[in-house]
Amino acid sequence: MEPIKQILSLQIESALSATTGIADCNANVITASKLEFGDYQANGVMAIAKQLKQNPQELAQSVIDQLEQDKSNLVESFEVAGPGFINIRLNLKALLSRANTALSNPDTLISTAENPQTIVVDYSSPNLAKEMHVGHLRGTIIGDSLVRVLLKSGHRVIRQNHVGDWGTQFGMLIAYLQEIQSQKANKLPQELSDLEKFYRSAKDRFDSDEEFANTARKSVVQLQSGDPAHNQAWRRFIEESLAHCETIYDKLNVTLTRADLDAESRYNDDLENIVAALNSKELLSESDGARVVFLSEFVGKDGDLLPVIIQKSDGGYLYSTTDLAAIRLRSNEWNVDRSLYVVDRRQSLHFQQVFAVAKKANIASEKISLEHIAYGTMMGSDGKPFKTRSGDIVKLIDLLDESIRRAYDLVSEKNPDLDESPRQQIAEKVGIASVKYADLSKNRTSDYVFDWSTMLAFEGNTAPYLMYAYARIKSILRKDEAHGFNPSIQSISEPEERLLLLKILQLDEIVQAVANECFPNQLCNYLYELAGLFMRFYEACPILKASKTIKSSRLALAALTAETLRVGLDLLGIETLEQM
Ligand code: ARG
């Protein structure tokens, strides 16, 4: 099945083309803005009428006449409205047939792309010198949700965790690690267990001891030139740091594994080829001894061209160089259609520049679409980037544990009779889901204020609300003694039923939009509205007390709602609970 909106768009667009002779028409189909307009409306006729200097209402009528010639059974009626809109009312039988297909095979709730693409999602990507902190939360969960959506839409997805593991900081860390190892080898595991502290101690040594600082500087060079002892120490550190990340991924129910690593060090041997490629295209210039690319479209405030630094005067390479090498791998070897970079908005100039250089130097293939999926900053209630009271960076693990603790209190308050073990289990799920959902439900490009009380509330657009809605439907279904009823929706008589039915069938087009535009908050809004429509249905339409056929039909509608919520939440990386 195709999403309803897509079917309507295609039908109306081809009717528009047939009527006007214009090849590419945009029907601009949206869900109806008011109930009385029907289910969908096409707003595209007006713009085309204007372009052709025609009366828009007349054009809309001609398009409808064209559509009527072979109307699909999906549509009940088309109607001209207002200055030239087309109102669309769908056929109930067709909706029921779709819904009943989905009941027997929930996979049909979401259709798969006709032409699957190969898509890289570059996300999470922490710097391994330190532990993951709250700044890594957004990229990690937005990226993971996009991966789930793209996979479900039938695309081939390559996850890439572009961790930073190769900069100057690692010289300092290796030097410090070697120092401890030689002095008190048995203490090393303990020292490494808190990477944040380890980093700080190394940094203190670096800042206060000139001799140590020199050793540290030499260590980077030795590491990068392949010295075995330095590589061994580096590996030890990286291993430790990755284990920290994995604990977080595990807790967050994020699908990244070791196999998805795309560490900066991977490109070490390829960087001089990048320099050569840029050189052969005559794109390289010298600036203060460094090799840089100037592109006319990047101009600073003072009117001077902004350089993209490729190689520093000491021969060292930069972040941009590695990203260029990664683009080459992705486009030339992997033949990727889209490469998505789920990275902080503050890196947007970096990506614009790297993408532009890659295209100009033919490092990127003709077809690859390079997209920076930018996100804003998580703020504290003071409106500044989220920190501890004392102004320190918050470790991600501490934030997640606090959320679980708070969820535990919440669950205990709501359900004091629960045994300890299920209580803990529910708290973990709700705690993690709340943090994730609070983030995913915000428009990713904006900053947002992190607030415990709203995200852990049972009212509003929150994870607890949706999880509770799901569990509640499940408990209604369990109450039906006839259990194992033949699930099919046969009768839709009340408006609340029809609204809910149509909403369920719209999951497909929402998922399609998220796959294209990469805004998971669209899916959150959808699920929130879906849960709201269920509550309205539940208030207006008795289920268990209804007559036999109506009861069975309503139970089936409730079951399909639950399934839709479950599938939608799963695409956000949120696990549902059968009981709360
Ligand atoms: N490691 C980088 C950082 O911590 C983010 C990497 C993002 N991905 C990329 N391909 N540049 O800022």
Side-chain angles (χ1 to χ4, degrees):
M1 285 193 286
E2 275 172 283
I4 294 173
K5 192 173 178 175
Q6 187 180 327
I7 298 178
L8 295 173
S9 299
L10 289 175
Q11 281 178 2
I12 298 173
E13 275 156 19
S14 85
L16 260 167
S17 293
T19 316
T20 62
I22 299 176
D24 280 318
C25 295
N26 182 359
N28 196 358
V29 173
I30 59 168
T31 46
S33 56
K34 281 194 187 139
L35 212 51
E36 60 265 33
F37 295 163
D39 299 316
Y40 285 83
Q41 59 188 78
N43 296 349
V45 175
M46 271 103 59
I48 295 167
K50 194 168 175 200
Q51 187 187 332
L52 296 172
K53 301 200 169 60
Q54 279 187 21
N55 176 319
Q57 283 156 327
E58 281 167 21
L59 179 58
Q61 190 53 55
S62 316
V63 171
I64 290 176
D65 294 343
Q66 179 72 30
L67 283 163
E68 294 288 355
Q69 283 180 22
D70 56 347
K71 199 164 75 183
S72 73
N73 63 9
L74 179 61
V75 176
E76 181 68 40
S77 66
F78 293 110
E79 197 183 82
V80 183
F85 301 104
I86 297 177
N87 288 347
I88 305 155
R89 191 166 170 83
L90 300 174
N91 177 279
L92 182 59
K93 268 214 185 94
L95 296 181
L96 283 174
S97 147
R98 282 186 163 239
N100 286 322
T101 306
L103 261 175
S104 53
N105 179 8
D107 279 344
T108 61
L109 276 173
I110 294 167
S111 48
T112 48
E114 244 171 79
N115 301 306
Q117 294 185 314
T118 302
I119 303 175
V120 163
V121 185
D122 180 325
Y123 71 109
S124 190
S125 311
N127 186 334
L128 295 183
K130 297 183 184 182
E131 264 174 65
M132 288 178 80
H133 57 81
V134 291
H136 296 115
L137 178 69
R138 302 206 75 186
T140 303
I141 62 184
I142 294 170
D144 207 58
S145 169
L146 295 177
V147 164
R148 290 166 187 265
V149 165
L150 292 166
L151 282 173
K152 192 86 180 172
S153 310
H155 298 291
R156 202 171 87 84
V157 176
I158 306 175
R159 300 168 179 84
Q160 292 285 273
N161 190 358
H162 194 79
V163 296
D165 66 342
W166 206 235
T168 41
Q169 295 148 316
F170 290 92
M172 177 183 92
L173 294 166
I174 291 170
Y176 188 61
L177 187 142
Q178 287 178 325
E179 192 172 86
I180 297 178
Q181 212 162 18
S182 66
Q183 288 167 1
K184 35 184 179 177
N186 58 337
K187 285 211 113 180
L188 189 59
Q190 189 197 324
E191 298 273 337
L192 275 175
S193 69
D194 188 333
L195 286 184
E196 216 44 46
K197 231 163 126 194
F198 187 85
Y199 183 92
R200 250 180 285 130
S201 313
K203 182 88 170 65
D204 286 346
R205 284 287 280 129
F206 188 89
D207 291 338
S208 61
D209 186 328
E210 192 48 36
E211 202 179 321
F212 177 82
N214 279 330
T215 314
R217 285 188 203 103
K218 278 188 214 134
S219 296
V220 202
V221 182
Q222 281 175 299
L223 169 69
Q224 299 193 340
S225 59
D227 171 72
H230 284 79
N231 267 273
Q232 204 186 15
W234 172 74
R235 228 168 268 284
R236 166 115 207 221
F237 182 85
I238 295 296
E239 195 53 42
E240 195 66 38
S241 186
L242 283 175
H244 275 269
C245 295
E246 278 158 1
T247 310
I248 300 252
Y249 295 154
D250 216 38
K251 240 194 179 124
L252 273 176
N253 186 25
V254 155
T255 59
L256 282 168
T257 69
R258 292 264 164 142
D260 307 315
L261 278 180
D262 178 43
E264 285 183 11
S265 58
R266 169 190 204 164
Y267 298 100
N268 196 35
D269 296 336
D270 200 28
L271 300 179
E272 56 189 78
N273 300 329
I274 294 296
V275 174
L278 295 172
N279 213 5
S280 75
K281 297 271 173 205
E282 297 180 349
L283 287 167
L284 282 182
S285 321
E286 282 250 337
S287 172
D288 295 330
R291 300 168 111 167
V292 306
V293 178
F294 288 114
L295 293 178
S296 56
E297 60 262 49
F298 297 104
V299 184
K301 285 202 189 87
D302 51 8
D304 291 346
L305 291 180
L306 291 173
V308 182
I309 306 175
I310 302 296
Q311 192 172 24
K312 291 187 292 186
S313 53
D314 66 2
Y317 295 102
L318 282 127
Y319 184 42
S320 307
T321 330
T322 317
D323 263 328
L324 288 169
I327 290 178
R328 192 158 67 169
L329 175 72
R330 294 171 191 185
S331 41
N332 294 2
E333 315 257 321
W334 294 349
N335 200 18
V336 159
D337 296 287
R338 293 171 78 189
S339 184
L340 312 179
Y341 296 78
V342 189
V343 185
D344 194 307
R345 193 175 65 188
R346 287 168 289 193
Q347 291 192 26
S348 97
L349 178 63
H350 163 79
F351 285 111
Q352 285 170 31
Q353 290 184 319
V354 165
F355 296 167
V357 173
K359 288 277 175 190
K360 196 136 205 165
N362 279 341
I363 287 171
S365 65
E366 200 60 30
K367 81 164 176 186
I368 194 171
S369 159
L370 300 165
E371 303 169 37
H372 179 198
I373 309 301
Y375 56 83
T377 306
M378 191 171 129
M379 302 295 210
S381 49
D382 57 359
K384 298 199 188 112
F386 194 78
K387 295 262 169 68
T388 62
R389 282 223 182 102
S390 54
D392 290 329
I393 288 202
V394 180
K395 283 193 201 181
L396 191 43
I397 194 79
D398 293 342
L399 182 94
L400 300 180
D401 287 341
E402 174 159 5
S403 188
I404 293 170
R405 257 195 321 275
R406 286 174 182 260
Y408 182 90
D409 294 343
L410 190 72
V411 174
S412 306
E413 194 184 307
K414 250 208 134 89
N415 200 346
D417 301 330
L418 215 55
D419 286 341
E420 181 57 25
S421 154
R423 189 187 300 209
Q424 188 62 39
Q425 233 175 352
I426 294 175
E428 292 210 5
K429 295 254 157 80
V430 173
I432 295 298
S434 299
V435 170
K436 291 178 90 167
Y437 192 87
D439 197 305
L440 292 166
S441 59
K442 309 293 183 314
N443 181 318
R444 64 170 161 78
T445 56
S446 330
D447 296 342
Y448 79 96
V449 175
F450 185 89
D451 177 41
W452 288 116
S453 63
T454 45
M455 65 195 239
L456 280 160
F458 275 95
E459 285 88 45
N461 189 7
T462 66
Y465 172 74
L466 291 174
M467 294 170 84
Y468 187 66
Y470 175 83
R472 180 140 173 228
I473 302 176
K474 285 299 199 174
S475 94
I476 297 168
L477 295 174
R478 278 193 299 270
K479 274 196 202 115
D480 167 43
E481 324 79 45
H483 234 59
F485 57 91
N486 183 19
S488 107
I489 308 168
Q490 303 110 3
S491 82
I492 292 284
S493 48
E494 302 301 320
E496 289 83 2
E497 289 176 296
R498 194 177 186 286
L499 282 173
L500 179 59
L501 174 74
L502 179 59
K503 194 77 186 175
I504 289 171
L505 297 175
Q506 287 170 335
L507 173 67
D508 204 7
E509 61 206 39
I510 298 295
V511 169
Q512 195 175 57
V514 177
N516 292 334
E517 297 150 30
C518 303
F519 284 93
N521 63 312
Q522 294 181 327
L523 179 54
C524 297
N525 291 341
Y526 165 83
L527 293 172
Y528 180 53
E529 287 166 14
L530 174 68
L533 286 178
F534 179 82
M535 296 307 175
R536 275 169 60 188
F537 155 74
Y538 187 59
E539 276 157 30
C541 309
I543 301 181
L544 299 171
K545 291 198 177 109
S547 72
K548 199 159 169 252
T549 26
I550 293 184
K551 171 174 156 184
S552 136
S553 177
R554 287 182 180 164
L555 280 169
L557 184 58
L560 191 59
T561 308
E563 184 57 17
T564 308
L565 277 172
R566 194 191 62 73
V567 169
L569 286 169
D570 182 61
L571 293 176
L572 299 170
I574 289 176
E575 292 173 277
T576 41
L577 291 160
E578 299 299 302
Q579 252 170 310
M580 270 174 85

